[in-house]
Amino acid sequence: MANYRVAADIGGTFTDIVVEPSEGPVFVGKVATTPDNPARGVVEGVSSLVPDLADVSFFVHGTTVGLNAFLERKGERVLLISTAGLGDAYTIARGNRHTLYDLRYSKPELLVPRRDVHEVRGRLSWNGELVAPLNRADFEPIIAKVRQERIKAVAICFVHAYAYPQHELEARDILAAELPDVSISLSHEVAREWREYERTSSAVMNAYVAPVVQRYLSSLRQDLASRGMQATVHIMQSSGGVTTADSARKNPVFTLLSGPVGGTIAGTALSARCGRPNLLCVDMGGTSFDVSLVVDGEARATLETELEGLPLLMSIVDIHTIGTGGGSIAWIEDGAMRVGPHSAGSVPGPACYGRGGTQPTITDANLFLGRLGPKSLLGGDMSLDLAAARTAIEDLAPEVDLDPVAFAEGILAISNAAMADAMRTITISQGVDPREFTLVAFGGAGPMAAAFLAAELDIREVLIPRFPGTFSAWGMLQTDLRHDFTKSFFRSAGSVDVAELISIYTGLEVEGLATIVKEGIAASDVSYQRSADMRYVGQEYTINVPIATNAGKDDMIADFHVAHERRYGHSSPGAPVEFVNLRVAALGALLKYTNEADAVGEGQDPNLGRRDTIFDGRAHSTPILARDRLSAGFDARGPVIIEEQSATTVVPPGWVFEVDQQGSILVRRST
Amino acid sequence: MADIDPVTTEIIRNAFISIANDMNATLIRSAFTPVIYEGKDCSVALIDKHGDVLGQSLGLPLFLGNLEICVKLIAEEHGWDYFGNGDVFYMNDSYMTGTHLNDATIIMPIFWHGKRVGFAASRAHWLDVGAKDPGTPVDSHEIYQEGMRWGPTRLYEAGKPREDVIDLLRRNSRFGEATVGDMNAQVAAGRTGEKGMQALFDRFGEETIVAARDEIFRQTEAREREAVSALPDGMYRAQGYLDDDGLGNGPILVNLELTVDGDSMTVDLAGSAAQATGPVNCGITQTIAAARVAYKLLICSDVSPNGGSFRPLNVTAPEGTIFSAREPAPCGWYFSSLGLLIDLVIKALAPVLPDKAAGAHYGDSMVIMIAGQDPRRNDEFYLMIEPTTGGWGAFEGGDGQDSLINNVNGSFKDIPVEIFESKYPLRLLSYGIRADSGGAGRFRGGNGTYREYLVQADSNLFLWFERSKTTAWGLFGGGDGLPPKVSVMRPDGDRLELLKVNGLKVPAGTVIMSLTGGGGGYGEARKRDPEAVRQDVIDRYVTIGHARDTHGVVIDMNLEVDTAATERLRSSAS
């Protein structure tokens, strides 16, 4: 009896479903997202692919419910409690400016107004000494306000709680006894790191999205259960690992970016399957372009990020985003030609969508040049208006003295260069040579631009995975359970007692084991990655250095110097080094099916006809191929256009491609 | 000149900016001292072989449009061939760079196929360069007291570090390792620029890049000239005062005459004070940079600066004034005069640019330094230095920001309490927004900040707080912000109020409370929407008494607007 591993990834427009059966090929589906109750779209989408949900053995979900609640500012009202005298640290938000030449600058809009920030007395010093005990009486007016104004979420951040959390724990006990139905977020549980503004911001974000995410997860679980699904619901986390819905309910902020990271994690799985350790992953959709790296088979992560100017301290797959997408608009300013960052979005959308857009976009340029066909989108379910695209382009081109073809190719050249700059930013300027990488392109628009982006960075080969439009959802099936644990460990490297360090790591691992076993994984399937945040004495930014279980102190210090040299191009081997945090990622291995992505539509003629396509000002009669009918080993020389339901791949003149054993399209420069 | 199409131009334009941003990221992330990595007290530029800016990241505003002048000064003195392949130059001479000796300018020529095609330059604030007191002394009267002064000097020659010179740098700082670490970070930023530039030349070749550059400069200049032309011709004046020069001499006049004539603008500083005995002077290079910052705040603010920028702007200052100082005038706190200059340019043009201007901000960096020995770390020497945020000016359509860093401090972030207390033998007792300190107005000026320090080991206090005489002014009837104020309460009960001091002994147990000023209001206070005043009261930005006295709005005990009383009060006052 077949069973199924299922992933559902909610996007702005579509919810993507990928199903991996215990036997037979992977299959995918796309259903419209149901914004009023996204769980409905998920349940319907899954049901349409798997008739009996009792056959689902594993379910993982990437949700943007929390992120959307934040972006639309529709989260829960939060009351913040902080240390007496220092409550404004949150409102001041470190007092810095993000843009400099602006007399009318305003700080990022915070989630808690000053009126809802309350202080309580009680203070611990930088090294944990009691300066003043927690004042219980100070909680009384706060509790009264929460009751009276029916506030449902409270965040607590006390200074130095990252290392000495006792007052936060005490505060939770006081509140929980009086306010059993209020969701309480403690800063040290969300982020065990110093810097009170950033940690407060992380805890507030958690409190702000918690009730929304909790309600959503309850409703999703109920709906799936009512259709007979018995499998545990898992959620993708920003760190690239998954967790159970039960765990996610506690600190939902860890799932905030659960959608976008799926693509990078899919990259790590692809990396293992195709034997290429270094991948540069690019995800191009309608409004944005996300770049991330797989280095030595692992997704590169960062420990801090910002959302709309608000900081978050947490382990998160490092994704660099710029506002270039199919909808980016071309415009003219003082004789200069610009593309983006303004986007036509999906309404009105590019001119060719026929929804009232009149400005030319990247999608219009692709259509005008024949790289995209009028029936290419969604397997022909959506037709594009070539005449409207042409009008938009012909109207603007004379303003910069270009003929329409040169103008359309110019739109693509400018946007490709901007995307290439973003790719350089996360590679070359961080000491990584992109020429050692294979480019993996996905998302609706990625495979159209991929070869051009590779050319910009001198990258030799490009992989277009099977189902590029649902690649992120596929990635969610390829990862493991993951929980991150941090302990601040502020010591000069010279004075570190290795036995103490090992005992802290062991302690974190014990915590990790307990958490993961509770999620249903056997202890023998749990593994750990140790790392340390280190820096030169005096530096602020740290480098996260992997720590081997048997490493001595000198090895750790030497590894840090090497990592610094690699990242910044210089190191100071004589300078003193210090530790800041110790980290453990606990991983619980999940069962995966290793059957290949799919069998293809063999035996059918892949040729769909020809279309005039313009490259470098010249029209080429270009064969159009159906991807579903290409079998492993198929190869051809560009120019070729390969169409499938969710994406169109462009192989330009001077490039060749072949289909590999996994069904990926491998595009290379012809020699 | 080669023909160039707009597509290639746009690609090259973005690449210049992107390379500069990558240089900046390298510098900030590998720097050793908080002034750079938190304070962002640094700037980078990618410069062409003639010394014109190709791309600049938005670092510290005061360094805007200044690095290229340093390149040109070296070339004027020694010729362009002075810049050899693999050389790295360091300079900090105030009369050349314009700024104080702590600011290290590092310039690296970029070669491509054996030809010099440009420069990567950066400037960053080094914590200590061997002045008579730690950091930057507030009472110097000669530049020789402010640290070692360097003309253009090679740190690397033909690709090899000059260890003897670097050692000299190290030995002449109280924090030698950090100084060399920051120097390395700047060199690394230069290498990032070099790699980016060479890759760009590999791709497009010199002829195309030069043609694109010319076109980019032309476009920028045309846009700026158009914006300047839109201003009515005429002369615009403004003046203000610094409190004093750090040695008690003052007030110090900044006098500004700004002439708009067609598509060009001249800022003339004649009539400003003669160079001061204390350290409020600067070289003309920095004065030009400051005028450019003010100009940039008003003209084409959204365009990334390049060699075509600032062509409509002329700056003149007679020799021997605070703005064009000569040896041996001290320059340690040069930015106070320049911050006022920037604010005054905006004030002068406010009547003709009401949609761009804003009330003045609190005006200066409000720097506090506490130094001593840290008993928690074997009596190691420590130096805590931080500027303080304050209130910004209101404008048509919006209130001023509360507790925001001053204009000349770029994107500085305050030091978190947790880092602060772990690093220094000091405790922060309180830190917050100073209610009622912003100027009243139809739009309210932002409030200043309070920050209260408990000294836990015998130390010395240094203060540089300014702008108590010329406080942040309002515009179009808006009120002025409150001035700054610092109180020192010693454990023996002794209490002092002062704004500038050099090395005051503060024994353990001393409490220092600093208050910074608010920003200016915009429009008449009695026309402010009573509901907006009420919201300010609920959020504790404004007290009930202040709401009544300045805005004429009566808020009752239930925090509701008493409409009748408000109308009575407002009509009686007008």
Side-chain angles (χ1 to χ4, degrees), chain B residues 47-53 68 71-72 75 80 116-119 210 213-214:
Chain B
I47 292 170
D48 75 5
K49 67 176 182 182
H50 306 296
D52 287 320
V53 171
E68 73 274 23
V71 172
K72 287 175 182 170
W80 291 101
R116 192 181 49 256
V117 293
F119 299 87
V210 167
R213 177 205 65 181
D214 291 345

PDB file of all heavy atoms in Angstrom, chain B residues 47-53 68 71-72 75 80 116-119 210 213-214:
ATOM      1  N   ILE B  47      36.896  55.720  -7.234  1.00  0.00           N
ATOM      2  CA  ILE B  47      37.293  56.979  -7.868  1.00  0.00           C
ATOM      3  C   ILE B  47      37.980  56.675  -9.196  1.00  0.00           C
ATOM      4  O   ILE B  47      38.677  55.656  -9.308  1.00  0.00           O
ATOM      5  CB  ILE B  47      38.228  57.738  -6.884  1.00  0.00           C
ATOM      6  CG1 ILE B  47      37.419  58.183  -5.656  1.00  0.00           C
ATOM      7  CG2 ILE B  47      38.918  58.918  -7.540  1.00  0.00           C
ATOM      8  CD1 ILE B  47      38.255  58.722  -4.521  1.00  0.00           C
ATOM      9  N   ASP B  48      37.800  57.527 -10.181  1.00  0.00           N
ATOM     10  CA  ASP B  48      38.433  57.244 -11.478  1.00  0.00           C
ATOM     11  C   ASP B  48      39.871  57.778 -11.498  1.00  0.00           C
ATOM     12  O   ASP B  48      40.349  58.352 -10.532  1.00  0.00           O
ATOM     13  CB  ASP B  48      37.577  57.777 -12.631  1.00  0.00           C
ATOM     14  CG  ASP B  48      37.657  59.295 -12.767  1.00  0.00           C
ATOM     15  OD1 ASP B  48      38.435  59.932 -12.033  1.00  0.00           O
ATOM     16  OD2 ASP B  48      36.926  59.845 -13.616  1.00  0.00           O
ATOM     17  N   LYS B  49      40.544  57.598 -12.640  1.00  0.00           N
ATOM     18  CA  LYS B  49      41.981  57.902 -12.637  1.00  0.00           C
ATOM     19  C   LYS B  49      42.256  59.396 -12.580  1.00  0.00           C
ATOM     20  O   LYS B  49      43.381  59.807 -12.316  1.00  0.00           O
ATOM     21  CB  LYS B  49      42.667  57.260 -13.841  1.00  0.00           C
ATOM     22  CG  LYS B  49      42.260  57.822 -15.185  1.00  0.00           C
ATOM     23  CD  LYS B  49      43.085  57.157 -16.267  1.00  0.00           C
ATOM     24  CE  LYS B  49      42.734  57.730 -17.627  1.00  0.00           C
ATOM     25  NZ  LYS B  49      43.474  57.069 -18.697  1.00  0.00           N
ATOM     26  N   HIS B  50      41.227  60.200 -12.823  1.00  0.00           N
ATOM     27  CA  HIS B  50      41.405  61.652 -12.694  1.00  0.00           C
ATOM     28  C   HIS B  50      41.026  62.157 -11.307  1.00  0.00           C
ATOM     29  O   HIS B  50      41.065  63.354 -11.052  1.00  0.00           O
ATOM     30  CB  HIS B  50      40.553  62.387 -13.721  1.00  0.00           C
ATOM     31  CG  HIS B  50      40.789  61.927 -15.118  1.00  0.00           C
ATOM     32  ND1 HIS B  50      41.998  62.087 -15.756  1.00  0.00           N
ATOM     33  CD2 HIS B  50      39.981  61.284 -15.999  1.00  0.00           C
ATOM     34  CE1 HIS B  50      41.920  61.566 -16.974  1.00  0.00           C
ATOM     35  NE2 HIS B  50      40.696  61.063 -17.147  1.00  0.00           N
ATOM     36  N   GLY B  51      40.581  61.268 -10.450  1.00  0.00           N
ATOM     37  CA  GLY B  51      40.203  61.698  -9.105  1.00  0.00           C
ATOM     38  C   GLY B  51      38.742  62.098  -8.987  1.00  0.00           C
ATOM     39  O   GLY B  51      38.382  62.822  -8.062  1.00  0.00           O
ATOM     40  N   ASP B  52      37.894  61.638  -9.888  1.00  0.00           N
ATOM     41  CA  ASP B  52      36.460  61.920  -9.759  1.00  0.00           C
ATOM     42  C   ASP B  52      35.719  60.673  -9.262  1.00  0.00           C
ATOM     43  O   ASP B  52      36.082  59.549  -9.614  1.00  0.00           O
ATOM     44  CB  ASP B  52      35.869  62.367 -11.106  1.00  0.00           C
ATOM     45  CG  ASP B  52      36.317  63.785 -11.454  1.00  0.00           C
ATOM     46  OD1 ASP B  52      36.355  64.629 -10.535  1.00  0.00           O
ATOM     47  OD2 ASP B  52      36.653  64.023 -12.628  1.00  0.00           O
ATOM     48  N   VAL B  53      34.669  60.921  -8.479  1.00  0.00           N
ATOM     49  CA  VAL B  53      33.962  59.803  -7.857  1.00  0.00           C
ATOM     50  C   VAL B  53      33.115  59.036  -8.868  1.00  0.00           C
ATOM     51  O   VAL B  53      32.334  59.624  -9.614  1.00  0.00           O
ATOM     52  CB  VAL B  53      33.037  60.312  -6.734  1.00  0.00           C
ATOM     53  CG1 VAL B  53      32.139  59.195  -6.235  1.00  0.00           C
ATOM     54  CG2 VAL B  53      33.869  60.851  -5.593  1.00  0.00           C
ATOM     55  N   GLU B  68      37.746  62.197  -2.842  1.00  0.00           N
ATOM     56  CA  GLU B  68      38.365  62.466  -4.135  1.00  0.00           C
ATOM     57  C   GLU B  68      39.254  63.705  -4.067  1.00  0.00           C
ATOM     58  O   GLU B  68      40.250  63.810  -4.782  1.00  0.00           O
ATOM     59  CB  GLU B  68      37.296  62.605  -5.229  1.00  0.00           C
ATOM     60  CG  GLU B  68      36.478  63.888  -5.201  1.00  0.00           C
ATOM     61  CD  GLU B  68      35.270  63.807  -4.284  1.00  0.00           C
ATOM     62  OE1 GLU B  68      35.283  62.971  -3.349  1.00  0.00           O
ATOM     63  OE2 GLU B  68      34.319  64.569  -4.507  1.00  0.00           O
ATOM     64  N   VAL B  71      42.653  62.573  -3.043  1.00  0.00           N
ATOM     65  CA  VAL B  71      43.398  61.984  -4.162  1.00  0.00           C
ATOM     66  C   VAL B  71      43.999  63.093  -5.022  1.00  0.00           C
ATOM     67  O   VAL B  71      45.183  63.063  -5.392  1.00  0.00           O
ATOM     68  CB  VAL B  71      42.473  61.086  -5.018  1.00  0.00           C
ATOM     69  CG1 VAL B  71      43.183  60.639  -6.286  1.00  0.00           C
ATOM     70  CG2 VAL B  71      41.999  59.882  -4.208  1.00  0.00           C
ATOM     71  N   LYS B  72      43.194  64.103  -5.306  1.00  0.00           N
ATOM     72  CA  LYS B  72      43.673  65.185  -6.164  1.00  0.00           C
ATOM     73  C   LYS B  72      44.793  65.984  -5.493  1.00  0.00           C
ATOM     74  O   LYS B  72      45.732  66.429  -6.158  1.00  0.00           O
ATOM     75  CB  LYS B  72      42.508  66.109  -6.534  1.00  0.00           C
ATOM     76  CG  LYS B  72      41.550  65.465  -7.544  1.00  0.00           C
ATOM     77  CD  LYS B  72      40.346  66.344  -7.813  1.00  0.00           C
ATOM     78  CE  LYS B  72      39.396  65.653  -8.784  1.00  0.00           C
ATOM     79  NZ  LYS B  72      38.111  66.347  -8.906  1.00  0.00           N
ATOM     80  N   ALA B  75      47.988  64.142  -5.935  1.00  0.00           N
ATOM     81  CA  ALA B  75      48.449  64.239  -7.320  1.00  0.00           C
ATOM     82  C   ALA B  75      49.022  65.628  -7.605  1.00  0.00           C
ATOM     83  O   ALA B  75      50.025  65.769  -8.309  1.00  0.00           O
ATOM     84  CB  ALA B  75      47.310  63.909  -8.273  1.00  0.00           C
ATOM     85  N   TRP B  80      50.650  62.276 -10.739  1.00  0.00           N
ATOM     86  CA  TRP B  80      49.843  61.048 -10.718  1.00  0.00           C
ATOM     87  C   TRP B  80      50.700  59.799 -10.632  1.00  0.00           C
ATOM     88  O   TRP B  80      50.280  58.775 -10.116  1.00  0.00           O
ATOM     89  CB  TRP B  80      48.932  60.980 -11.949  1.00  0.00           C
ATOM     90  CG  TRP B  80      47.840  62.016 -11.907  1.00  0.00           C
ATOM     91  CD1 TRP B  80      47.809  63.194 -12.573  1.00  0.00           C
ATOM     92  CD2 TRP B  80      46.624  61.958 -11.130  1.00  0.00           C
ATOM     93  NE1 TRP B  80      46.660  63.893 -12.265  1.00  0.00           N
ATOM     94  CE2 TRP B  80      45.917  63.156 -11.385  1.00  0.00           C
ATOM     95  CE3 TRP B  80      46.078  61.029 -10.247  1.00  0.00           C
ATOM     96  CZ2 TRP B  80      44.684  63.444 -10.807  1.00  0.00           C
ATOM     97  CZ3 TRP B  80      44.844  61.305  -9.664  1.00  0.00           C
ATOM     98  CH2 TRP B  80      44.164  62.512  -9.944  1.00  0.00           C
ATOM     99  N   ARG B 116      47.114  52.530 -14.512  1.00  0.00           N
ATOM    100  CA  ARG B 116      46.326  52.979 -13.376  1.00  0.00           C
ATOM    101  C   ARG B 116      44.960  53.431 -13.906  1.00  0.00           C
ATOM    102  O   ARG B 116      44.877  54.310 -14.769  1.00  0.00           O
ATOM    103  CB  ARG B 116      47.035  54.135 -12.659  1.00  0.00           C
ATOM    104  CG  ARG B 116      46.426  54.476 -11.311  1.00  0.00           C
ATOM    105  CD  ARG B 116      47.142  55.642 -10.641  1.00  0.00           C
ATOM    106  NE  ARG B 116      47.295  56.736 -11.591  1.00  0.00           N
ATOM    107  CZ  ARG B 116      48.418  57.054 -12.215  1.00  0.00           C
ATOM    108  NH1 ARG B 116      49.534  56.407 -11.941  1.00  0.00           N
ATOM    109  NH2 ARG B 116      48.455  58.033 -13.102  1.00  0.00           N
ATOM    110  N   VAL B 117      43.902  52.805 -13.433  1.00  0.00           N
ATOM    111  CA  VAL B 117      42.575  53.130 -13.972  1.00  0.00           C
ATOM    112  C   VAL B 117      41.671  53.784 -12.925  1.00  0.00           C
ATOM    113  O   VAL B 117      40.572  54.227 -13.246  1.00  0.00           O
ATOM    114  CB  VAL B 117      41.874  51.869 -14.534  1.00  0.00           C
ATOM    115  CG1 VAL B 117      42.614  51.355 -15.764  1.00  0.00           C
ATOM    116  CG2 VAL B 117      41.775  50.772 -13.479  1.00  0.00           C
ATOM    117  N   GLY B 118      42.124  53.838 -11.682  1.00  0.00           N
ATOM    118  CA  GLY B 118      41.276  54.467 -10.681  1.00  0.00           C
ATOM    119  C   GLY B 118      41.820  54.262  -9.283  1.00  0.00           C
ATOM    120  O   GLY B 118      42.987  53.864  -9.108  1.00  0.00           O
ATOM    121  N   PHE B 119      40.967  54.545  -8.302  1.00  0.00           N
ATOM    122  CA  PHE B 119      41.368  54.458  -6.898  1.00  0.00           C
ATOM    123  C   PHE B 119      40.224  53.899  -6.065  1.00  0.00           C
ATOM    124  O   PHE B 119      39.060  54.157  -6.350  1.00  0.00           O
ATOM    125  CB  PHE B 119      41.693  55.856  -6.344  1.00  0.00           C
ATOM    126  CG  PHE B 119      42.829  56.530  -7.053  1.00  0.00           C
ATOM    127  CD1 PHE B 119      42.598  57.288  -8.209  1.00  0.00           C
ATOM    128  CD2 PHE B 119      44.126  56.398  -6.579  1.00  0.00           C
ATOM    129  CE1 PHE B 119      43.644  57.898  -8.876  1.00  0.00           C
ATOM    130  CE2 PHE B 119      45.182  57.004  -7.239  1.00  0.00           C
ATOM    131  CZ  PHE B 119      44.944  57.770  -8.401  1.00  0.00           C
ATOM    132  N   VAL B 210      34.865  54.637 -19.703  1.00  0.00           N
ATOM    133  CA  VAL B 210      35.072  56.091 -19.705  1.00  0.00           C
ATOM    134  C   VAL B 210      33.871  56.795 -20.342  1.00  0.00           C
ATOM    135  O   VAL B 210      33.375  57.807 -19.832  1.00  0.00           O
ATOM    136  CB  VAL B 210      36.381  56.449 -20.445  1.00  0.00           C
ATOM    137  CG1 VAL B 210      36.452  57.940 -20.732  1.00  0.00           C
ATOM    138  CG2 VAL B 210      37.584  56.001 -19.621  1.00  0.00           C
ATOM    139  N   ARG B 213      31.048  56.692 -17.917  1.00  0.00           N
ATOM    140  CA  ARG B 213      31.293  57.636 -16.829  1.00  0.00           C
ATOM    141  C   ARG B 213      30.912  59.059 -17.254  1.00  0.00           C
ATOM    142  O   ARG B 213      30.209  59.774 -16.549  1.00  0.00           O
ATOM    143  CB  ARG B 213      32.779  57.594 -16.440  1.00  0.00           C
ATOM    144  CG  ARG B 213      33.150  58.582 -15.369  1.00  0.00           C
ATOM    145  CD  ARG B 213      34.616  58.946 -15.424  1.00  0.00           C
ATOM    146  NE  ARG B 213      34.927  59.660 -16.665  1.00  0.00           N
ATOM    147  CZ  ARG B 213      36.136  60.083 -17.001  1.00  0.00           C
ATOM    148  NH1 ARG B 213      37.153  59.829 -16.217  1.00  0.00           N
ATOM    149  NH2 ARG B 213      36.336  60.727 -18.130  1.00  0.00           N
ATOM    150  N   ASP B 214      31.372  59.449 -18.458  1.00  0.00           N
ATOM    151  CA  ASP B 214      31.063  60.801 -18.936  1.00  0.00           C
ATOM    152  C   ASP B 214      29.560  61.025 -19.012  1.00  0.00           C
ATOM    153  O   ASP B 214      29.055  62.082 -18.645  1.00  0.00           O
ATOM    154  CB  ASP B 214      31.696  61.034 -20.316  1.00  0.00           C
ATOM    155  CG  ASP B 214      33.219  61.100 -20.232  1.00  0.00           C
ATOM    156  OD1 ASP B 214      33.745  61.248 -19.108  1.00  0.00           O
ATOM    157  OD2 ASP B 214      33.865  60.986 -21.294  1.00  0.00           O
TER     158      ASP B 214
END
